[in-house]
Each structure stands twice: as structure tokens, then as C-alpha cells.
Amino acid sequence: MKVFVGHDDREDIAYKVCEYSIKSKNNKLLVIPLKQQNLIQSGLYWREKDPLSSTTFTFTRFLVPVLMDYKGWALFCDCDFMWMIDPAEIMQYADKKYAVMVVKHDYNPPEGEKMDGQRQLPYPRKNWSSMILWNCEHPSNKQVTTELVNTESGQYLHRFDWLIDDEIGEIPHQWNWLVNHYHEPEDGVPLAIHYTEGGPWFDNYKHCEYGYHWAIMRNEMVVANTPPPLPGPFDNIPLDIEKLFKNMLRYRVDPSGEVYGQNVKKIIKEVKMLDNNTAVAVDGARHPNDVKGVGWDPYMESFILGCGGQITNYDKIKNSKTPVVFRGITKAKHMKVCQENNRDFYYIDTGYFGNIRKKLYHRITKNAMQNLSPIIERPHDRLSLTGWHSTKFRGGRDILLCPPSAKAMGAFDLDLDVWLEETISTIKQHTDRPIVIRKKVGRRERTTVDTIEMALSQNVHCLVTFNSIAATEAITFGKPAFTLGPNAAQAVSCNDLSKIETPYIPTLDEVTAWAAHLAYCQFTEADMRNGTAWKILNESKDNDD
């Protein structure tokens, strides 16, 4: 199936994100931009500019049957779409008896402005043509010629007046989810988000609903299109690259040769020039003596390659002073031992922001599970890549209580049920506001149908948590937070529940400075592999927590 996407130079970034969202779900789909200038040059479009047209593809969308030579099926969508699902799945609704299939919205916005000052014009069947599944072979579509597209009125085309009503099929509204018109959960979950009134690529719509999701998709696109990282410590070596890399990685995972049985002396000689005395030991995913093979975490592997370290088992280096890397809360007891013995460790876990449906960022903290150091003044380069933006603080009614998991509380030798009972009791001593408890759910659920953003949008006064990064998200979405444990948001939140009625509200400048600081405390896998993470984490003693 071919997917045609409207293109307007004023919204080029919207087109690119739309295209990326399609290709990221199905890279076999052919995505074709409908560029007005190209169609003019090819002699298919010669229509005079219509003062009522809000985009340059207002009319060119109706050339799809011509471009398909009246054969097969094709999908058209506006450029202000973002696909959350493989567009090819829409073919489950394809029915040959229909000439076109659309979402039949009952959408009647008031007259005014949309997007970059364009007029919002109400008319029957509005937005039906913003996504069209074309049955290009249908006999009635033979009427859609270049002559008709270039001469007929916008009213005629956008209402599909060349068809009778029985030739217009219907697709569920989740496939053309009009932002601010449909709402979760009563209307379900969007499969294709349509920023019909204006998207976050316009300054005055940066904070629109689902704007954060679009920013994350843009960030995924930037990361995906970023050139390969600069050479790391194991690149550009004057030997057989593939063989040496394989041997070197095996050596660093299994330095004694107990599993792979390699010629350790030969490998040591080969990699000697690469060792840089930063031999950071990493706790592997499986025991190195497992005869089935040595397993290692891909993120720890990337980090260790970026700093020239060695992957091994904690038991083998537990009595040394070599810095050690851990990933995940289950290594809490090992981290306590490191702290007691004044031994450096690096902790890897989910990033603070920039992750929605896919984990692009992981936080890496030296000697703590979250960054607790004073805010360091940072440039905004890394922050801008995440798609992060602040929201003005606004009031509400409820206390949103977000307890961490029992496993996380166990890392601090605390019982979750006891903490929860004591926290609720303390809150009730200082307020009679309703308390809404949001227990941690599975990642799939909390990134689709029950996101923290949804919870924070429900008349929330403030958020209360222990060490959960929900506090970071609350500050981002304009809700004050109370952090009762070690938390990266503690610099912009409060830890005294007696002030629950008058929580600390940082300025937007303070929030932005804090977020820019945290952006230098979380990293992509490429950052880990090319040594960027190691360099930033060790560039200053001020970064030690």
C-alpha cells in the first residue's frame, strides 16, 4: 500500500515526523509527499491559489487516484498526523463496494483561527477528507480527473459530491483522532493522532494535548537519523576489526577464559594498547561460569565500551576498589556495600524524561540511584533533543499519591504498606482534600491507556511520592510535587507534608534550569557507546552525589 501525505513548506517538520511515525511502524510502506510544486511541474496541478485554502495540499489530495493510475488502494493523510500504529492495518476495513473510506466526524468547531493564523471554517463533513482510504479502482472514482481537481469547488471535493452516500464507507474514529475533540478514555485510545487545530511545531500550540507525544516522536526521529557516533575507544584499530572486536568483547565478559576458553594471553596482547586504566567492572546479566554462554545487558555493554571497562561478575571483584556499574533496583544491596566501603559505582535505570512508548533515555548516576546534586548550569542542547517543555503551574483539587513499587521501597529497607499508611495519615492531618492513590502498573499500560499525564490532568492539586520519577513528570506537567525520599525532583519540590495546602511552586526559569541539568544526567545508548556518558559523568567532582 502506498501512503500519500500532504506536504506544506510551512509545516515541513510536521511532515517529517508524520513520515517517520509511519516508517517506524512499517518500513516497507512507500510514503509519498504530495508537494504542490512538483505536481505543478508535472502538469497535474494548475489551480489558482484559493484564499480559503489553509494548506498547499487542500486540493492535491484528490489527485491520488490519478497518481495511482486508478489501480489498487492508497491511503492519504494530512501532514499533521502522527501514527501510533502500522497504517497498513487500516486495510482490515477496506471494502470494494466503497469508493472512499473515511472517519465520519461530527466535528463543528467555532469560526476563528487555527494553526499559524489560518481561518477555521465550519462546513458539512469537515475533516472527513483529512484521511482517505482510496479505492482507486472504483468506477465512480474515474470521475476524479485532473480537470475535475483543478476546476471544481472545494465544497464539491471535500464533501465527496461526485459520490452517492452509499459509496462512502466508514472507519472508526480512533484512526483519525481529532485532538481536543476526542478524549481518553471515553472515546478509546488514538491510533492516529490528528493535530487538526494546530500542532506543537507552532509556538502557540506547543502545549497542546498530545504535544509531548509528538515531541517524543520527533526526538526518536532525530536520534534515528543521527549519523553514527564518533569513534569510541575500540574503533579505528589497525587489525582485523570484526575478529578483534569479537575476541575483545569475549575477553571483557570472560577475562579468565572459563566459558569461551579463548587464548587469553594472545587477546591481552592484542587489546593492550586499548586499555586506558578505566577498568570499570560490570555486573553481568548471567553468571560468567554459565556454560550456556555469558549474557550481558546491552546498555551496560554500551557504557562499558564507551569507558574502556570490563564486563564481569560482581562476586569476582567485590573485594576490590574498582568502580562498578549496576542496572536496576535489584542491585541495591551491592550499592549499599559500595557506599559503606567508599567505592564508586554507576547506576543505570530509566531516564527522567524523553521516554513515552520507547525507552530512548537511561539515567546514569554516580554513587546514587538518582541525581541528587545541586543544579549545575547547563546549555539546553541536550534538553531540546528530548522534546521537553515546561507547563505553567495550575491548581486543582485532589492529592495524587504515587507510591513506588514494593521492590523500590525494599531498597531503602522500608515496607510499602507501612509507608503508604503513614503518608496518608500525615496528609489527612493537614488537609481534607481527596487522596487519589495511583499504584504502579505495567509499562505497556502506563504508556498507553493510563499515562501519568492523564492522571495529572484530572483536577490534581499536587503529587506526593517517595523516590518515583513521577515527581519529575509532575513538575514538567505543571503540578507541584512532594518528594519524601531521595528524588531527582527534590530541588524543585517540597518534602514537608505540613505544607500540603501551600506547596512549593518553582518559577518556569527554575524548572527549565533543573530540566537542563537532568538532561546531562541521562543518556541514549549511542551516548554510552561513544564515551559521551562517561565523559559527562566524570567531568567534575560536582557531579558526584
Side-chain angles (χ1 to χ4, degrees):
M1 186 178 70
K2 293 181 180 178
V3 182
F4 293 85
V5 179
H7 184 280
D8 192 310
D9 289 341
R10 295 169 302 168
E11 299 182 83
D12 182 61
I13 185 60
Y15 169 82
K16 288 177 179 175
V17 172
C18 177
E19 178 188 45
Y20 174 77
S21 71
I22 294 169
K23 301 293 284 185
S24 67
K25 304 299 184 298
N26 186 340
N27 61 12
K28 294 181 180 179
L29 290 177
L30 179 61
V31 182
I32 303 170
L34 283 179
K35 294 188 176 183
Q36 188 186 87
Q37 192 57 39
N38 293 350
L39 295 168
I40 291 173
Q41 292 173 355
S42 64
L44 296 175
Y45 191 77
W46 59 85
R47 189 178 186 118
E48 292 292 327
K49 179 175 173 58
D50 189 326
L52 298 180
S53 297
S54 59
T55 67
T56 58
F57 53 86
T58 296
F59 299 102
T60 57
R61 72 191 70 203
F62 299 103
L63 289 172
V64 168
V66 176
L67 294 170
M68 291 290 291
D69 196 23
Y70 301 99
K71 295 177 182 177
W73 290 83
L75 180 66
F76 165 82
C77 71
D78 288 356
C79 69
D80 54 357
F81 269 64
M82 182 175 72
W83 290 83
M84 314 302 286
I85 191 172
D86 178 359
E89 292 191 28
I90 203 170
M91 288 301 293
Q92 65 185 288
Y93 302 103
D95 189 329
K96 290 185 178 180
K97 71 181 180 183
Y98 298 117
V100 298
M101 302 196 70
V102 300
V103 175
K104 297 181 178 181
H105 306 285
D106 181 17
Y107 178 62
N108 298 292
E111 261 194 85
E113 288 188 356
K114 64 175 182 176
M115 298 191 302
D116 54 344
Q118 300 296 316
R119 288 181 62 190
Q120 180 71 272
L121 297 174
Y123 55 82
R125 297 182 174 179
K126 185 172 179 65
N127 256 319
W128 285 25
S129 63
S130 58
M131 186 193 73
I132 308 170
L133 183 59
W134 286 95
N135 180 3
C136 300
E137 296 180 2
H138 194 282
S140 294
N141 282 335
K142 300 287 185 181
Q143 303 173 61
V144 187
T145 62
T146 53
E147 185 68 27
L148 181 138
V149 173
N150 282 283
T151 57
E152 273 292 356
S153 68
Q155 174 181 306
Y156 178 90
L157 292 168
H158 286 278
R159 295 181 188 177
F160 304 99
D161 280 350
W162 71 91
L163 302 173
I164 62 174
D165 287 352
D166 289 345
E167 293 176 321
I168 306 174
E170 186 166 8
I171 296 171
H173 69 269
Q174 288 89 348
W175 291 88
N176 189 346
W177 184 279
L178 305 181
V179 174
N180 293 329
H181 180 65
Y182 299 116
H183 300 283
E184 298 183 59
E186 56 264 36
D187 295 316
V189 177
L191 302 178
I193 297 173
H194 183 189
Y195 300 91
T196 182
E197 296 177 3
W201 51 94
F202 293 121
D203 287 341
N204 52 334
Y205 284 92
K206 278 186 177 179
H207 304 302
C208 70
E209 190 176 12
Y210 299 105
Y212 189 59
H213 295 71
W214 184 90
I216 295 302
M217 186 70 73
R218 181 194 62 185
N219 179 53
E220 287 186 21
M221 177 187 74
V222 170
V223 172
N225 294 330
T226 299
L230 295 173
F234 306 137
D235 295 324
N236 299 327
I237 47 182
L239 293 169
D240 185 308
I241 301 295
E242 183 175 357
K243 179 181 178 182
L244 179 58
F245 183 84
K246 183 177 180 180
N247 285 340
M248 185 166 52
L249 189 57
R250 284 185 173 182
Y251 164 65
R252 293 187 179 280
V253 174
D254 178 33
S256 62
E258 294 175 3
V259 176
Y260 292 117
Q262 67 265 32
N263 186 330
V264 176
K265 289 184 178 180
K266 182 174 182 293
I267 295 174
I268 290 175
K269 183 178 180 180
E270 288 177 344
V271 302
K272 185 176 181 181
M273 62 177 179
L274 298 172
D275 287 331
N276 56 10
N277 297 319
T278 59
V280 177
V282 176
D283 192 14
R286 291 203 296 266
H287 195 285
N289 294 334
D290 185 348
V291 294
K292 294 180 181 179
V294 176
W296 58 87
D297 182 288
Y299 296 101
M300 291 200 291
E301 175 193 325
S302 294
F303 184 62
I304 221 63
L305 288 174
C307 69
Q310 174 182 295
I311 300 177
T312 186
N313 184 275
Y314 179 78
D315 290 340
K316 293 188 176 184
I317 46 81
K318 64 181 180 181
N319 295 321
S320 77
K321 285 291 186 178
T322 306
V324 63
V325 180
F326 303 108
R327 183 176 179 221
I329 198 70
T330 58
K331 306 300 186 300
K333 63 179 181 180
H334 297 327
M335 288 184 274
K336 287 181 182 177
V337 173
C338 288
Q339 290 171 329
E340 291 168 358
N341 290 280
N342 197 28
R343 178 181 183 180
D344 286 338
F345 67 89
Y346 296 82
Y347 177 74
I348 303 176
D349 210 328
T350 303
Y352 301 110
F353 40 72
N355 301 317
I356 293 289
R357 299 179 189 274
K358 185 177 180 182
K359 285 190 180 182
L360 287 175
Y361 288 95
H362 284 74
R363 68 182 188 266
I364 305 180
T365 315
K366 189 174 181 180
N367 299 330
M369 285 189 282
Q370 292 194 40
N371 186 281
L372 309 174
S373 65
I375 295 174
I376 299 171
E377 185 176 350
R378 297 287 195 178
H380 292 187
D381 52 346
R382 294 183 61 82
L383 180 62
S384 63
L385 287 175
T386 68
W388 181 93
H389 60 263
S390 62
T391 300
K392 290 182 179 179
F393 282 80
R394 56 201 186 281
R397 179 193 62 212
D398 302 340
I399 309 293
L400 182 62
L401 179 56
C402 294
S405 66
K407 187 188 300 182
M409 293 301 283
F412 297 90
D413 297 323
L414 295 173
D415 181 274
L416 175 60
D417 292 334
V418 172
W419 178 87
L420 194 56
E421 182 180 345
E422 291 177 349
T423 301
I424 293 173
S425 174
T426 303
I427 292 173
K428 288 183 175 180
Q429 292 175 25
H430 303 287
T431 185
D432 57 0
R433 290 176 181 270
I435 300 174
V436 177
I437 301 175
R438 176 185 169 83
K439 292 190 175 180
K440 193 169 184 178
V441 296
R443 175 166 175 78
R444 180 179 178 83
E445 186 176 352
R446 69 176 183 267
T447 59
T448 53
V449 298
D450 187 18
T451 68
I452 186 66
E453 185 176 4
M454 294 175 192
L456 289 166
S457 67
Q458 301 298 314
N459 200 16
V460 170
H461 168 66
C462 69
L463 177 141
V464 177
T465 189
F466 187 73
N467 70 327
S468 172
I469 60 173
T472 299
E473 294 166 303
I475 298 297
T476 294
F477 295 131
K479 295 294 181 180
F482 285 81
T483 52
L484 307 182
N487 196 302
Q490 64 190 36
V492 286
S493 60
C494 183
N495 63 4
D496 183 356
L497 289 177
S498 69
K499 299 178 181 178
I500 196 78
E501 282 292 340
T502 56
Y504 174 66
I505 298 179
T507 67
L508 292 184
D509 285 344
E510 288 175 322
V511 171
T512 302
W514 160 77
H517 166 72
L518 287 189
Y520 272 77
C521 303
Q522 62 173 28
F523 308 93
T524 64
E525 188 172 1
D527 290 333
M528 300 179 204
R529 188 171 288 267
N530 66 22
T532 298
W534 179 254
K535 179 182 178 182
I536 290 175
L537 287 164
N538 292 282
E539 65 185 0
S540 170
K541 291 183 179 179
D542 292 337
N543 282 356
D544 292 359
D545 291 298

